[in-house]
Amino acid sequence: MQRNIYLEGELGNKFGSKMSYNAPTVADVMKLLDVNNEEFRPYLIQAHEKGIGFHIDVAGERLEYDEEILLPLNEGDITITPVPAGSKGGG
């Protein structure tokens, strides 16, 4: 299913704030971002080392568990937002 992907904050500034992919899972979106941007994986590693997590929303609903990135999605846009550790509800 073709869906809009929104990257917010520094993530969007670095890799583009909106794109459209045919991706059935959030994991597929991450793979597509990685193969289309050679700096994506190093960015994620550096973010992790700095204590930055990520909120992922699908159709306005936040994913609560890591395993949910592997589940097939019915519909809806995906929004990925960097969240510094210590912020309310940080990832």
Side-chain angles (χ1 to χ4, degrees):
M1 163 184 257
Q2 194 75 16
R3 64 184 78 243
N4 292 321
I5 313 302
Y6 299 96
L7 304 179
E8 298 188 331
E10 181 185 35
L11 188 61
N13 293 338
K14 193 164 183 73
F15 301 106
S17 59
K18 181 182 176 190
M19 60 216 60
S20 183
Y21 287 137
N22 183 0
T25 68
V26 173
D28 291 325
V29 168
M30 301 304 274
K31 288 176 192 173
L32 288 164
L33 288 166
D34 183 35
V35 298
N36 286 302
N37 302 284
E38 64 183 38
E39 294 297 318
F40 186 71
R41 185 182 304 252
Y43 170 81
L44 292 179
I45 292 168
Q46 289 173 358
H48 175 73
E49 290 170 351
K50 293 178 183 177
I52 298 171
F54 297 89
H55 283 184
I56 301 174
D57 295 331
V58 178
E61 297 290 324
R62 181 174 169 201
L63 299 185
E64 296 292 327
Y65 304 101
D66 294 341
E67 296 81 11
E68 289 180 281
I69 68 167
L70 302 172
L71 297 175
L73 306 172
N74 292 328
E75 59 184 42
D77 296 337
I78 297 172
T79 304
I80 304 172
T81 308
V83 181
S87 43
K88 185 177 180 183

